[in-house]
Amino acid sequence: MIAIIDYDAGNIKSVEKALLLLGEEVKITGDAQEILSADKVVLPGVGAFGDAMGNLERRGLVPVIRETVEKGTPFLGICLGLQLLFERSDEAPGVAGLGILPGEILRIPSKEGLKIPHMGWNSLHLEHGGRLFDQVSEQSYVYFVHSYYLKAGEEEIVKASTEYGVHIHASVEKGNVFACQFHPEKSSEVGLRILSNFVNI
């Protein structure tokens, strides 16, 4: 069973729909025991970093996420779910992230001709042999919606990057922890391949 963590941060049904399309048993849940007993766990999310961390803390899910990761369960963060795995964000000064991975979330700098939020399809540069990208071609397009981007603290955990006025770390992998800034569940066949690769880990 794949647990999708429910913490009032949106985007959950589209992730559930994509995983069901792949034939997986899926449960949307905020229950600690259901999350801890799942075969795999997904942390989705859209919205603000500070609000999301507050929701996770109020629901008692921060230690549950840490325990899930520590016991080796494959764990996937999507969009805001990626950002929360890191230490801090420009969006919420003074609010600590989960700190599971080293790095920080920065605001995409304003540049003439670039709309923020970054919303639309961008191509990926693949690097360091990420398992999510097995049978995914270099420069494949995926769908982004974000105003803040990841600057990872360890270059070797970055498995895909893109450019949008700045160099964006678009996907990371470290041990059993995976994350994508883009939305695989909204990225057509490429996105389904990425989710399938996660399912098959």
Side-chain angles (χ1 to χ4, degrees):
M1 184 270 284
I2 299 176
I4 300 174
I5 297 178
D6 183 5
Y7 63 112
D8 291 335
N11 200 45
I12 284 178
K13 293 306 262 185
S14 57
V15 176
E16 179 192 37
K17 185 177 176 183
L19 290 169
L20 288 172
L21 193 62
L22 292 171
E24 296 305 305
E25 180 190 351
V26 184
K27 183 147 197 183
I28 294 172
T29 181
D31 180 81
Q33 287 312 309
E34 287 182 337
I35 294 167
L36 289 167
S37 63
D39 300 307
K40 293 181 174 68
V41 175
V42 179
L43 179 67
V46 292
F49 186 96
D51 291 344
M53 280 306 303
N55 286 348
L56 289 175
E57 285 163 358
R58 275 191 296 277
R59 289 169 173 247
L61 291 171
V62 171
V64 175
I65 290 170
R66 292 214 171 98
E67 187 177 343
T68 300
V69 168
E70 285 165 10
K71 69 201 275 281
T73 302
F75 189 97
L76 175 64
I78 296 175
C79 194
L80 181 59
L82 168 142
Q83 297 183 5
L84 296 171
L85 291 169
F86 289 85
E87 295 162 308
R88 57 165 298 275
S89 174
D90 281 353
E91 189 175 18
V95 176
L98 292 166
I100 288 167
L101 297 172
E104 58 185 351
I105 308 303
L106 307 175
R107 181 164 177 81
I108 297 173
S110 297
K111 286 192 178 178
E112 192 172 344
L114 284 187
K115 290 184 178 177
I116 298 173
H118 170 208
M119 188 179 299
W121 297 82
N122 264 59
S123 61
L124 294 176
H125 169 57
L126 306 180
E127 48 199 316
H128 304 127
R131 286 177 283 170
L132 290 184
F133 300 98
D134 182 44
Q135 298 183 57
V136 174
S137 300
E138 172 71 9
Q139 298 299 312
S140 288
Y141 278 81
V142 292
Y143 190 75
F144 288 85
V145 183
H146 64 128
S147 301
Y148 295 82
Y149 73 98
L150 166 64
K151 185 177 181 182
E154 296 173 345
E155 191 66 35
E156 64 272 17
I157 74 172
V158 179
K159 306 302 179 182
S161 58
T162 195
E163 304 290 331
Y164 192 77
V166 68
H167 185 65
I168 291 169
H169 291 157
S171 184
V172 295
E173 173 187 338
K174 186 173 185 178
N176 58 305
V177 179
F178 303 81
C180 302
Q181 178 61 67
F182 56 89
H183 289 275
E185 78 284 2
K186 296 179 180 177
S187 297
S188 193
E189 289 179 15
V190 170
L192 283 176
R193 165 55 62 184
I194 289 167
L195 289 173
S196 177
N197 287 338
F198 175 68
V199 164
N200 290 322
I201 286 165

